Amino acid sequence: MDTRTLIFSLGLFNLSFALVVFVYQRCRKHDMPHLRAWQLAKLVAGSGYLLGWSRPLWGAEWVPWIYAGNLMQWLGIAMELAVYARFLGAPRWVPVVRAAMMVAVPVFIATVWLASSNHPMILVGTGIAALLYLAMSALSLNQFRQSPQLLLMMSALDGALGGCLALKVIIGLLGVELVSYQNNGINIGLYTLAFVVMCINGFGFLLQVQQRFEQQLQQAKEAAERLNQALESANAQLSHMATTDMLTGLWNRRHFESMVRQEMARADRHEQALSLLIFDLDHFKDINDIHGHLAGDRVLVELTALARQHTRGCDLLARWGGEEFMLLMPDTGPQQAMTVAEKLRSAFEAQQIPQVGRVTASFGVAGYLPNESLDSWISRIDAALYQAKQAGRNSVRLASVSALRPARHRPRETRPS
């Protein structure tokens, strides 16, 4: 393979990389600034190599275009170096590269203008290329921890090419005449190494871009999962707040009514027993007035905790309002519910609460009648509770299926707000 073929391959492959990046971004519909800048760098460098390859076709009058090709090659390499610096998280390299090129380009132009032969121009041009590749090697080595194997290989190849170019400059300084496009072993070796470096750097950069994209995608997925978990947690908290009494931790009235309706429908569908129990703490207003609301809250918390101990896992206990509580018992008939109510009444009566003493409760019990409305059922159990209060409190009464007494006629002991 001769020198011109290698130069043509360098130009063609640089342009091919630019085309691949263009197609990649269009297909993925994912625009990355690093890829756009790298695409432009490859386009500039590839065009510069093709201008150098076309030198024998145009003759001596086209020499300025050949110099422009050399400048485009170095500019493309410098742009690629700047892209690597930004991509690898070393942006401080960019102004250094820019300043170096602002010095190198005028020096080369001055050399072309003043030199009487190609030898000084080749020395300056080769020196510029050597510095660029050595800088690229140093950058990869400095950031190798991001992708150790790949960046160390890129650093070694860039350093080898930069070192060979620097050695060529030293040989030229020692008086050996240098010819850039001569088809000799030195030039073939350098352009072959340059082609290998270009391929490794190009594919290595694209591989890193793909890895970075997948990493960012994974991070975005993890962030979305964390956000989704946070939203689920917030929704769970909101749901808990919307359905739970904050003081006692029991279901609140609205949620309890919803669950009661579901159990009523199930009882009608399967013809199963269902009972409802209500209890109201006796003289609770006096507890608040004498001992304070904090003591009243402590009474509510302790007695509801005690009630929980005497209920089954399938039973539903809720705070109905103030000092009134409801207990729904699936698969339970009225007589069984009366037994549960009596156990609760005895447990409350035996409980001694600090600073308050003994607190009793009155109970009403009502079995569900087939196809009965919730309002009717609550009215019956409310009437049973009224009877327990009228009987002297601290008692249990079973609701009648007829002769309902409206709940609004009985005195109520609600907690002051």
Side-chain angles (χ1 to χ4, degrees):
M1 185 175 291
D2 59 9
T3 302
R4 287 194 67 228
T5 302
L6 288 169
I7 295 174
F8 178 78
S9 299
L10 283 166
L12 182 62
F13 271 74
N14 273 286
L15 295 179
S16 298
F17 273 125
L19 179 62
V20 166
V21 169
F22 175 78
V23 174
Y24 173 82
Q25 292 191 100
R26 292 296 297 271
C27 293
R28 295 295 295 267
K29 296 181 179 180
H30 181 71
D31 189 22
M32 297 182 66
H34 297 307
L35 281 180
R36 288 204 311 271
W38 191 77
Q39 177 187 359
L40 180 60
K42 287 299 180 181
L43 185 64
V44 172
S47 301
Y49 279 115
L50 290 182
L51 280 177
W53 167 80
S54 65
R55 177 178 182 177
L57 302 177
W58 308 109
E61 65 273 13
W62 289 90
V63 170
W65 289 103
I66 306 306
Y67 296 150
N70 290 333
L71 288 173
M72 291 175 67
Q73 294 173 30
W74 304 325
L75 181 60
I77 297 171
M79 292 170 63
E80 188 175 0
L81 176 58
V83 171
Y84 289 161
R86 291 192 180 94
F87 181 78
L88 294 175
R92 64 185 183 277
W93 285 65
V94 176
V96 177
V97 174
R98 186 183 298 117
M101 291 304 296
M102 291 177 65
V103 173
V105 171
V107 169
F108 178 76
I109 294 175
T111 304
V112 170
W113 186 267
L114 298 174
S116 57
S117 67
N118 289 334
H119 184 74
M121 293 180 291
I122 295 174
L123 283 177
V124 173
T126 305
I128 294 173
L131 291 175
L132 289 172
Y133 280 110
L134 289 174
M136 197 173 295
S137 174
L139 174 63
S140 299
L141 185 63
N142 186 53
Q143 304 293 326
F144 81 96
R145 291 182 181 83
Q146 298 186 28
S147 183
Q149 294 182 345
L150 181 60
L151 287 178
L152 285 176
M153 180 173 63
M154 292 171 63
S155 175
L157 289 173
D158 289 332
L161 180 57
C164 291
L165 291 172
L167 182 61
K168 182 178 178 180
V169 172
I170 294 173
I171 293 173
L173 291 174
L174 294 177
V176 177
E177 186 69 22
L178 301 178
V179 181
S180 290
Y181 298 99
Q182 190 177 38
N183 196 25
N184 56 38
I186 294 177
N187 286 336
I188 290 176
L190 286 174
Y191 283 116
T192 300
L193 182 57
F195 181 80
V196 173
V197 168
M198 178 208 62
C199 291
I200 296 297
N201 285 348
F203 286 115
F205 176 70
L206 293 179
L207 178 61
Q208 290 179 84
V209 169
Q210 179 65 20
Q211 291 175 345
R212 177 78 60 85
F213 176 75
E214 292 175 354
Q215 185 181 41
Q216 292 175 347
L217 183 61
Q218 182 62 29
Q219 291 174 349
K221 289 181 178 179
E222 292 174 356
E225 289 177 359
R226 289 194 297 270
L227 179 60
N228 186 52
Q229 292 174 357
L231 289 175
E232 290 179 353
S233 177
N235 287 334
Q237 292 179 1
L238 290 174
S239 177
H240 179 76
M241 294 173 62
T243 59
T244 306
D245 176 63
M246 300 306 294
L247 176 63
T248 62
L250 303 179
W251 299 121
N252 61 23
R253 179 168 180 163
R254 183 179 63 179
H255 185 64
F256 181 72
E257 285 187 1
S258 174
M259 293 190 293
V260 170
R261 294 182 190 278
Q262 294 177 18
E263 289 297 327
M264 291 169 62
R266 191 174 72 89
D268 287 332
R269 187 168 57 252
H270 300 288
E271 298 182 353
Q272 294 176 338
L274 183 64
S275 293
L276 195 59
L277 178 155
I278 186 172
F279 63 87
D280 183 285
L281 302 185
D282 298 331
H283 304 294
F284 188 73
K285 183 177 183 299
D286 294 340
I287 295 175
N288 281 331
D289 292 342
I290 298 171
H291 301 284
H293 289 282
L294 291 179
D297 289 346
R298 185 164 58 250
V299 169
L300 294 176
V301 172
E302 291 197 19
L303 290 185
T304 53
L306 182 60
R308 276 189 176 130
Q309 297 174 13
H310 290 78
T311 58
R312 304 168 299 175
C314 62
D315 295 337
L316 302 175
L317 182 61
R319 187 176 183 184
W320 189 246
E323 68 275 16
E324 283 188 347
F325 298 86
M326 285 272 199
L327 177 62
L328 181 68
M329 293 172 283
D331 300 322
T332 304
Q335 294 304 321
Q336 293 173 299
M338 287 287 291
T339 302
V340 173
E342 183 58 36
K343 288 181 179 180
L344 286 174
R345 189 202 65 76
S346 299
F348 289 175
E349 186 179 22
Q351 183 75 6
Q352 289 290 330
I353 299 177
Q355 299 180 0
V356 176
R358 190 182 65 148
V359 177
T360 62
S362 301
F363 291 79
V365 176
Y368 174 64
L369 301 178
N371 299 313
E372 185 179 18
S373 70
L374 179 58
D375 290 340
S376 173
W377 194 13
I378 291 176
S379 294
R380 290 195 300 114
I381 196 173
D382 203 43
L385 178 61
Y386 171 78
Q387 293 172 7
K389 292 285 187 180
Q390 289 295 99
R393 296 181 172 84
N394 191 24
S395 60
V396 180
R397 291 293 182 272
L398 178 63
S400 172
V401 297
S402 61
L404 303 182
R405 185 183 185 93
R408 63 176 178 271
H409 293 313
R410 71 177 175 89
R412 300 179 62 87
E413 297 174 352
T414 56
R415 296 182 62 187
S417 58

